[in-house]
Amino acid sequence: MQQIPVSLWTLLAGIVVTVLSIWVGQNHSLLPIQASQQAPLVDGFFNVMLSIATALFLVVEGTIVIFLVKYRHRPGDDTDGVHVEGNLPLEVFWTAVPSIIVLCLGIYSVDVFNRMGGFEVGSHPHMPHSPAHVAQMPGSAIAATLSDASLDESEIPSPAPIPKIGIGATPTELGKPADLVVNVTGMQFAWLFDYPESGVNTGELHVPVGADVLLNISATDVIHSFWVPQFRLKQDAIPGIPTQLRFVATKPGTYPVVCTELCGGYHGSMRAQVVVDTPQEFESWLSENRIAQQQDMQKAVASNPADLSTSEFLAPHAQQMGVTTATLAQIQK
């Protein structure tokens, strides 16, 4: 029987390892569901790395097993093994392959980071270069006119700090304002969410599905880290240094917000929720909270059931139950 060449065995093993590694990389359940536009980008990169890691594992462990069997100690054979010194083609091969893998992964990771919006923050090609912005840069020279010099420094409004760290607009969103802006404050041991356009403050983040959301993140005490696993996004909240996180939620649901920076004795309990609503649900939630948090409580008392007539009290419930006004009038008789 003619012996099968080693090169053919190597080719066959390579095909099996490649197919099995790709299958493992595409058919695992190690990650939570995807709920943002950035999530598929991160998962694609993770799947590639998992495929490569699986292939390396199979090659290394398979080689060890083959050598353990082929070169095992046999009875009566106490001689030394064959002396091998140097193998230039093999050394070039195992040096070049990891180098190429690392180089390709580096290029791929930069591309993913760019498509997620990582290069937008800090570069801000569309940002206006006003004196206020220049004044925030330590060591910068400022050109001022004589009229500027006559102003009292105390009268100059302090500009809001501009985040230079975080995830910003994706290349397709550059120059476009976000649909929703939320100020996020981390403190021991809670997250606070402020909607500046509506004046709503909550301990739970609500965003509409499909909307371009910008989070301006800050911290009042120590470093925290805002992480939503289903979004595949994480951003530190640093005292005195504003950061930002911009994303588009793609799947309605309730997802955990976890602090991933050890921030104190109760760090493990620093959790909140992000609720991805439909646009209608979000507007309803925003309206309810806007009314509930009005400073003028006299307006809130207007919805006191004790001051409403029977028809006014039953109107919202009748609408939800599909009862018409005529039917309601007959019931009241």
Side-chain angles (χ1 to χ4, degrees), residues 1 14 28 44 80 82 94 117 119 127 135 142 158 164 166 180 205 210 229 235 244 250-251 253 275 281 284 288 319:
M1 180 177 179
H28 63 85
D80 293 335
V82 178
W94 72 41
F119 287 148
M127 180 189 299
I142 302 176
S158 176
K164 296 182 178 179
L180 176 67
L205 177 62
Q235 180 56 55
Q244 74 175 42
T250 56
K251 191 178 184 63
V275 181
E281 291 173 341
S284 176
E288 293 173 0
Q319 186 178 4

Side-chain angles (χ1 to χ4, degrees), residues 99 230 232:
S99 301
Q230 287 75 12
R232 311 289 194 272

Side-chain angles (χ1 to χ4, degrees), residues 12-156:
L12 181 62
I15 294 174
V16 172
V17 168
T18 302
V19 172
L20 186 58
S21 301
I22 294 176
W23 184 86
V24 171
Q26 300 297 324
N27 296 277
H28 63 85
S29 57
L30 300 176
L31 300 174
I33 63 171
Q34 301 173 350
S36 76
Q37 282 188 350
Q38 286 84 353
L41 299 175
V42 177
D43 288 7
F45 185 62
F46 178 84
N47 293 343
V48 170
M49 289 197 298
L50 182 61
S51 297
I52 295 174
T54 302
L56 291 176
F57 175 82
L58 292 176
V59 170
V60 173
E61 299 302 320
T63 303
I64 291 176
V65 171
I66 291 173
F67 275 63
L68 282 175
V69 174
K70 185 174 182 179
Y71 299 105
R72 67 187 183 279
H73 177 264
R74 290 177 171 78
D77 183 7
D78 296 327
T79 60
D80 293 335
V82 178
H83 179 70
V84 178
E85 181 179 357
N87 189 320
L88 182 60
L90 185 60
E91 293 173 357
V92 170
F93 176 76
W94 72 41
T95 302
V97 170
S99 301
I100 294 173
I101 291 175
V102 171
L103 181 62
C104 292
L105 286 178
I107 295 174
Y108 185 21
S109 65
V110 171
D111 178 63
V112 169
F113 189 63
N114 180 41
R115 286 189 286 164
M116 291 177 65
F119 287 148
E120 194 271 339
V121 181
S123 57
H124 292 283
H126 56 281
M127 180 189 299
H129 297 283
S130 66
H133 296 119
V134 178
Q136 297 180 63
M137 301 171 62
S140 299
I142 302 176
T145 62
L146 292 176
S147 58
D148 295 332
S150 62
L151 293 176
D152 187 349
E153 293 185 357
S154 61
E155 297 177 355
I156 300 176

